[in-house]
């Protein structure tokens, strides 16, 4: 048996019992967050953190409608440095707080269920912006919560049909944890998406609880070696051995492999000597607007639609 405790000290008069209990509750949540089996006293900053979260959540709902969310695209290059694909990444330009990193607001959206409308926004926007690309493939991040939502594959199919995109040019990026849960809905969605022609990439490979059987069970097409391995590969040592093993594994299973977070030429050279032939990172291109990446590659952009208006 385990036990987590939250406690609040009432050192001022006039505190309502319900308020005191709410404080103790917040302290209890903190005990659980910190790994359970401990006792935590309430501190006012815990309340502030909660209020902050609530207002951020409300603001994210507004952002979905008011245009402060946008997509940027980071180039993925081949061994010759040619841009062959781009990963769509979400940005939130908050009118007061400035740019909020997706690591914060995507996580918040996942915890509050907002990820479903947010994810739909991403798919809709990316399909619209990249519909006319012919030379580049496009990678889109999908959260575990989206993949386990009943009807997710059907939604993607509807959005794809509406934008008239070719699913064969699109890759959905999932994390290992998304696949680990092995829920019937996740597996049904993946099967349906693959049947439509989408491919599946495993993001941040090596950082989750990698179960190798997952790669085959979900017929993953590609793995993305996480930045944490890439960042120390040029120092030699363990990282290089791990990256080498990952690439060998990918080849043995006939999977494509890309290294992410490549920042230096030395890292790229080491990766290439391990057999990696696709790269993504600040070295070969920062995230940029759809227009910027399309211009770099010489893609036709979103052909202007002609509007004919009759007078009189
Ligand atoms: P990710 O999918 O692994 O994306 C790669 C992240 O690494 C991006 O951060 C990118 O800007 C950053 N990065 C790329 N190259 C380098 C490099 O050379 N050095 C360093 N230090 N960083 C590099 P970003 O855009 O902040 O996104 C963070 C995470 O947020 C993403 O990780 C992804 O998990 C999530 N995310 C972003 N956009 C979306 C989205 O539309 N939907 C969902 N569900 N998640 C998203
Ligand atoms: Mg990704
Ligand atoms: Mg990643």
């Amino acid at each position: 048996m385990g036990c987590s405790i939250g406690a609040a000290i009432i050192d001022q008069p006039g505190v309502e019992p319900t308020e005191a209990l709410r404080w103790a509750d917040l302290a209890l949540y903190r005990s659980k967050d910190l790994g359970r089996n401990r006792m935590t006293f309430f501190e006012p900053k815990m309340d502030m953190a909660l209020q902050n979260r609530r207002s951020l959540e409300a603001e994210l709902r507004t952002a979905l409608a008011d245009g402060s969310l946008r997509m940027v695209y980071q180039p993925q290059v081949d061994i010759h440095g040619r841009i062959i694909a781009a990963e769509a990444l979400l940005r939130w330009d908050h009118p007061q707080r400035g740019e909020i990193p997706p690591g914060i607001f995507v996580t918040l959206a996942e915890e509050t269920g907002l990820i479903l409308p947010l994810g739909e926004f991403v798919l809709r926007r990316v399909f619209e912006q990249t519909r006319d690309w012919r030379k580049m493939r496009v990678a889109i991040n999908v959260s575990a919560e989206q993949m386990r939502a009943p009807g997710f594959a059907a939604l993607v199919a509807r959005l794809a049909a509406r934008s008239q995109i070719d699913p064969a040019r699109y890759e959905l990026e999932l994390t290992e944890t998304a696949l680990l849960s092995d829920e019937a809905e996740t597996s049904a969605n993946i099967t349906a998406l693959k049947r439509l022609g989408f491919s599946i990439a495993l993001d941040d490979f090596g950082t989750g609880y990698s179960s190798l059987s997952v790669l085959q069970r979900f017929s993953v097409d590609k793995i993305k070696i996480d930045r944490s391995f890439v960042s120390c590969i040029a120092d030699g040592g363990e990282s290089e051995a791990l990256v080498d093993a990952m690439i060998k594994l990918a080849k043995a299973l006939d999977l494509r492999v890309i290294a992410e977070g490549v920042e230096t030429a030395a890292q790229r050279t080491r990766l290439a000597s391990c057999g990696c032939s696709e790269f993504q990172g600040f070295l070969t291109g920062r995230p940029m607007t759809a227009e910027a990446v399309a211009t770099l590659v010489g893609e036709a952009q979103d052909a202007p639609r002609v509007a004919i208006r009759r007078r009189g």
Side-chain angles (χ1 to χ4, degrees):
M1 259 179 64
C3 173
S4 301
I5 298 176
I9 295 176
I10 319 295
D11 54 2
Q12 43 192 318
V15 175
E16 291 290 330
T18 47
E19 184 68 353
L21 277 174
R22 196 176 67 82
W23 289 351
D25 241 3
L26 286 171
L28 171 62
Y29 286 133
R30 177 56 62 89
S31 281
K32 289 183 175 166
D33 277 351
L34 292 175
R36 299 170 183 264
N37 287 326
R38 65 188 70 217
M39 170 162 167
T40 311
F41 283 103
F42 168 75
E43 289 168 34
K45 66 172 190 251
M46 292 174 192
D47 208 14
M48 275 163 57
L50 185 71
Q51 302 294 350
N52 217 340
R53 228 178 102 88
R54 290 223 174 104
S55 59
L56 202 63
E57 184 189 341
E59 286 155 11
L60 185 53
R61 271 179 213 281
T62 316
L64 265 171
D66 77 3
S68 46
L69 293 170
R70 63 192 167 91
M71 302 308 303
V72 288
Y73 295 84
Q74 184 173 33
Q76 297 181 344
V77 306
D78 67 10
I79 194 91
H80 309 292
R82 281 186 300 241
I83 301 177
I84 47 170
E87 177 179 7
L89 296 161
L90 189 55
R91 292 290 177 266
W92 181 12
D93 304 312
H94 191 285
Q96 283 86 38
R97 305 181 204 227
E99 196 173 286
I100 302 185
I104 295 191
F105 73 84
V106 169
T107 312
L108 178 74
E110 286 169 347
E111 289 163 3
T112 55
L114 257 184
I115 192 66
L116 297 182
L118 191 68
E120 183 172 339
F121 168 91
V122 168
L123 289 161
R124 204 183 283 272
R125 180 59 59 84
V126 173
F127 288 164
E128 276 166 14
Q129 289 185 321
T130 62
R131 158 180 56 201
D132 296 327
W133 291 3
R134 292 289 170 271
K135 300 175 185 157
M136 271 183 290
R137 293 169 56 79
V138 180
I140 306 177
N141 291 286
V142 172
S143 291
E145 284 69 19
Q146 291 172 270
M147 220 21 127
R148 74 164 71 101
F152 176 68
L155 168 75
V156 179
R158 267 198 311 280
L159 296 175
R162 189 175 305 161
S163 303
Q164 298 177 315
I165 56 105
D166 172 11
R169 286 197 306 109
Y170 291 80
E171 197 165 79
L172 304 176
E173 292 192 4
L174 293 170
T175 55
E176 289 158 313
T177 17
L179 298 185
L180 256 195
S181 55
D182 193 20
E183 286 166 31
E185 217 54 71
T186 300
S187 133
N189 277 326
I190 293 181
T191 310
L193 287 164
K194 292 214 63 162
R195 205 171 288 142
L196 286 166
F198 290 94
S199 46
I200 303 289
L202 210 47
D203 207 349
D204 308 338
F205 188 74
T207 58
Y209 299 95
S210 319
S211 145
L212 298 182
S213 63
V214 152
L215 291 173
Q216 279 185 313
R217 186 152 19 104
F218 291 105
S219 20
V220 168
D221 301 283
K222 177 176 177 180
I223 59 171
K224 296 191 81 176
I225 299 178
D226 189 63
R227 186 168 82 221
S228 53
F229 301 101
V230 172
S231 65
C232 30
I233 192 177
D235 317 336
E238 235 175 34
S239 269
E240 185 165 351
L242 283 171
V243 168
D244 197 44
M246 285 183 216
I247 295 169
K248 287 208 172 84
L249 172 79
K251 299 227 153 127
L253 295 175
D254 208 14
L255 304 177
R256 290 174 47 218
V257 55
I258 183 168
E260 59 178 340
V262 184
E263 293 181 346
T264 67
Q267 288 167 355
R268 187 175 49 183
T269 308
R270 278 292 164 88
L271 286 160
S273 70
C274 293
C276 181
S277 56
E278 289 182 31
F279 313 89
Q280 177 181 349
F282 294 165
L283 176 71
T284 48
R286 297 222 169 214
M288 57 186 97
T289 62
E291 293 76 28
V293 73
T295 308
L296 268 183
V297 177
E299 285 280 12
Q301 249 312 284
D302 218 10
R305 317 273 139 170
V306 181
I308 300 174
R309 201 180 275 158
R310 286 214 191 106
R311 289 235 177 103

